[in-house]
Amino acid sequence: SGAGSKGLSGGRVLNTTDTTTWGGNTAANNNAIVFSGSGTINNSGSWSDTNAFASYMQDFTGTNAFNNTATGIFSKQGSAITTMEVVYNNSGTTNANAGRFRMTGGGTSNGNFNVANGAVLDFNTGTHNLNAVTIAGAGTTEISGSTSFNSVNLNGGTLSSALLISGGNLQGADHILSGPVTWTAGNIRGAASTTVASTLVISGAGNKGLSGGRVLNTMGTTTWSGNTAANNNAIIFSGSGTINNAGSWNDSNA
């Protein structure tokens, strides 16, 4: 707690096995945990981020990681943004209960993510390997950031929360998106299938890419709309991209 930054460095491994409360910052981005020189946190207990202002775990130098182990529970409680700059590996349970939990360091996960109503689970930068994960809840999962620096490999699993693709690249093995999907920017790519079992909204001015052998299966109602000038909100096919529409596709671009 408190305003000052805390350093974890020089190969130090911090194992948290009981209840950890990370809170009490007094302005945006103070009370930061600064990782340098291969610092690692292994959480096997209950870690609660209760900071009232924007907070972050800073990846300063070296190869650093936050490992939420099989018994670990990481809960983001505050209504501001928490940025996880270090590699975040989730084999346990991650709860985005409020605000935005933004991951910018990549990581590999096979655990559970719960996203509460009004909260956002944000895969923003890095390579995120999601292997048979479960992502559920009334909130929003977002794939954001630059297409040059963010890739989300969704390899099977269950994704029932609402998904917003606002940037980056959705890729990986075959997967089914059972919640509503909104696609405003970014790419869906790679030689496998993405099946949207619910509604799909494709909107906004930016182009959307479908490439690399990706098959997009649309099963429900798709609304392609909201362009703001001639020929924007385009869907760009390259490298054997395919859409199989088995539902109702409405082109309502003005």
Side-chain angles (χ1 to χ4, degrees), residues 7-240:
L8 187 67
S9 62
R12 176 61 52 167
V13 177
L14 173 62
N15 299 310
T16 56
T17 63
D18 203 313
T19 299
T20 300
T21 304
W22 177 36
N25 67 355
T26 57
N29 296 327
N30 67 26
N31 193 21
I33 302 174
V34 181
F35 292 68
S36 61
S38 303
T40 300
I41 293 177
N42 294 322
N43 176 54
S44 59
S46 176
W47 183 294
S48 297
D49 168 14
T50 62
N51 286 293
F53 299 89
S55 55
Y56 73 127
M57 296 194 184
Q58 183 182 6
D59 189 32
F60 188 64
T61 61
T63 302
N64 309 290
F66 189 109
N67 300 313
N68 194 48
T69 70
T71 61
I73 301 172
F74 183 97
S75 298
K76 192 238 179 302
Q77 309 284 27
S79 60
I81 297 173
T82 294
T83 302
M84 180 71 68
E85 288 188 353
V86 301
V87 171
Y88 185 74
N89 301 311
N90 177 45
S91 297
T93 299
T94 296
N95 299 315
N97 291 329
R100 179 181 292 267
F101 183 47
R102 175 177 288 160
M103 290 163 282
T104 64
T108 298
S109 298
N110 58 7
N112 301 317
F113 295 88
N114 299 310
V115 193
N117 186 35
V120 179
L121 178 70
D122 184 6
F123 297 96
N124 178 262
T125 306
T127 299
H128 304 271
N129 298 305
L130 306 179
N131 301 325
V133 299
T134 296
I135 305 178
T140 300
T141 300
E142 183 171 0
I143 299 172
S144 64
S146 167
T147 55
S148 298
F149 299 106
N150 186 31
S151 296
V152 176
N153 295 305
L154 182 60
N155 299 313
T158 302
L159 201 162
S160 60
S161 72
L163 175 64
L164 170 60
I165 307 169
S166 65
N169 303 286
L170 172 59
Q171 50 194 43
D174 294 351
H175 50 254
I176 299 173
L177 310 175
S178 59
V181 177
T182 302
W183 188 11
T184 62
N187 302 317
I188 302 175
R189 68 182 189 180
S193 66
T194 295
T195 298
V196 180
S198 183
T199 58
L200 171 61
V201 173
I202 305 171
S203 65
N207 291 337
K208 289 81 183 172
L210 187 68
S211 64
R214 178 63 48 165
V215 177
L216 174 62
N217 300 309
T218 55
M219 310 297 291
T221 299
T222 298
T223 305
W224 178 34
S225 67
N227 66 353
T228 56
N231 297 325
N232 67 26
N233 193 21
I235 303 172
I236 309 296
F237 292 70
S238 60
S240 303

